[in-house]
Amino acid sequence: MTRRFSALAFAAGLCAAALVVVATPAYAQLGSLTGKVVDEAGKPVPDAEVSLDFTGEMNLHFKVKTDKNGTWTRAGLIAVGGRWNITAKKGDLTGTLPNVEIALGGAKPVDDIVLHAASGGAPADDAKAKATTEGNKLITEANAAAAANNYDLAVSKLTEATAKIDKCKACYVGLGDIYAKQSNPEKAEEAYKQAIAIDDSTVEAYEGLAIVYNTEKKLDQAAAATTKAMELRNAKGGPVDPMAAYNAGVVFWNQNKFPEAKAQFQKAVQAKPDMADAQYYLGMCLLNEGNTADAKTALQAYMKLAPTGANAPTAKAILDEMK
């Protein structure tokens, strides 16, 4: 009985701000994408060729075709270390979807790709299509620069792309991500808000804001951004993004909202059992509610995954108390 109380007291005293996780290169971390190709009237386009190009720590290229309903799916795509640019073609019609991130696990639904005439239209339409093509090339180059930690070049490329592509929310999300990595929260916040101004359902922008606000210890704003991001992800359906769930849990943890934090860490662990930090904070949440048996399981999982991790001394001390 004494040991249980001691362990709980130890956990209750650990309310220092938790840190969000930044994705690190791990090519075993795979996910899937699924979407639809439609014409300008919104009708599905069957037998369209969909190209998926990954730019980051390596360059990859895949092709799939749409089915009779205009739907396509591709599994086994790298989910970290870069982003995917998607192009759909059928005859003289083309459409693009740049700067796509992948959630680990099941197939993530993406926006419809709308096919447009690549040439032969009005001069203004041709100029816009050319500018969009140039902008997408800049985004690809920015992704490569960011993967090489050349953030200044990536910012320059993305800024140039915003002048090429009308209402480029992906550009602003990318800028926000880079500014956040450069520890420039003011510019990161501004960029994410510009993406939201273009499309207020841009879930990645809300998630980015939550990370920025959490780092700045603006916890109420972080919680609001996290809540909005979760609402959007739930509305879109698809698999749980373990990184997004973990970061949402961190925001709630830092507000001492342990039940809400636990729910998010559980989602992260279910989607990605080998996410060590999610296991650790799940264990801490369980410990705070008095569930020592399940807390022990989670903390043991953390120690197995990260025996020399930053939280290993704390986890080991608590597990020793439980013996």
Side-chain angles (χ1 to χ4, degrees):
M1 189 69 176
T2 301
R3 285 178 177 171
R4 179 179 180 275
F5 176 82
S6 177
L8 285 175
F10 192 1
L14 294 173
C15 294
L19 298 176
V20 295
V21 166
V22 178
T24 55
Y27 298 122
Q29 297 184 27
L30 304 177
S32 306
L33 293 176
T34 185
K36 181 178 287 188
V37 177
V38 299
D39 60 21
E40 292 181 335
K43 296 181 180 179
V45 178
D47 203 36
E49 183 179 86
V50 179
S51 298
L52 300 99
D53 293 283
F54 181 81
T55 303
E57 296 171 351
M58 61 173 65
N59 294 323
L60 297 171
H61 175 77
F62 298 107
K63 288 185 178 180
V64 296
K65 285 202 170 185
T66 58
D67 61 18
K68 63 181 181 180
N69 299 313
T71 301
W72 61 271
T73 301
R74 172 70 201 201
L77 300 175
I78 290 176
V80 297
R83 298 194 183 186
W84 291 87
N85 295 316
I86 308 172
T87 304
K89 294 183 180 180
K90 185 168 185 181
D92 293 331
L93 304 178
T94 61
T96 60
L97 191 62
N99 222 27
V100 175
E101 291 184 322
I102 297 182
L104 299 176
K108 171 187 174 181
V110 299
D111 295 338
D112 291 351
I113 302 175
V114 182
L115 298 186
H116 304 278
S119 62
D125 291 337
D126 288 347
K128 183 177 180 180
K130 180 181 178 182
T132 299
T133 299
E134 292 172 351
N136 287 334
K137 182 174 182 292
L138 288 166
I139 291 173
T140 298
E141 293 170 353
N143 288 340
N149 296 327
N150 191 344
Y151 297 135
D152 289 340
L153 179 59
V155 167
S156 175
K157 295 286 186 182
L158 287 173
T159 301
E160 188 178 352
T162 63
K164 299 282 187 181
I165 303 175
D166 185 39
K167 297 181 178 179
C168 182
K169 64 179 183 181
C171 297
Y172 289 111
V173 170
L175 283 169
D177 291 346
I178 293 169
Y179 287 135
K181 289 179 180 178
Q182 290 181 312
S183 299
N184 191 334
E186 293 81 8
K187 285 192 174 182
E189 179 182 6
E190 179 183 352
Y192 289 134
K193 285 184 173 179
Q194 284 179 293
I196 291 169
I198 293 170
D199 181 356
D200 64 4
S201 67
T202 308
V203 64
E204 295 84 0
Y206 287 105
E207 289 171 346
L209 279 176
I211 292 172
V212 169
Y213 290 143
N214 183 72
T215 304
E216 292 289 285
K217 298 184 180 179
K218 298 177 180 178
L219 301 184
D220 289 342
Q221 290 169 276
T226 292
T227 299
K228 181 65 175 179
M230 289 190 298
E231 289 175 356
L232 291 170
R233 283 203 178 274
N234 291 337
K236 288 183 177 182
V240 171
D241 181 338
M243 195 72 70
Y246 171 83
N247 287 336
V250 165
V251 170
F252 290 129
W253 170 269
N254 287 340
Q255 287 192 308
N256 294 331
K257 295 181 177 179
F258 300 119
E260 294 87 344
K262 184 186 76 171
Q264 294 305 313
F265 292 134
Q266 283 176 325
K267 289 180 182 179
V269 166
Q270 288 167 1
K272 186 171 170 53
D274 63 349
M275 182 178 279
D277 286 337
Q279 292 280 11
Y280 172 79
Y281 281 106
L282 174 59
M284 300 303 285
C285 288
L286 291 165
L287 205 57
N288 271 284
E289 70 178 23
N291 186 345
T292 55
D294 289 340
K296 183 177 181 179
T297 299
L299 292 174
Q300 286 175 331
Y302 170 81
M303 289 300 297
K304 183 176 180 179
L305 293 165
T308 60
N311 295 307
T314 301
K316 185 177 183 302
I318 293 173
L319 288 170
D320 288 344
E321 286 279 344
M322 290 179 173
K323 289 181 180 178

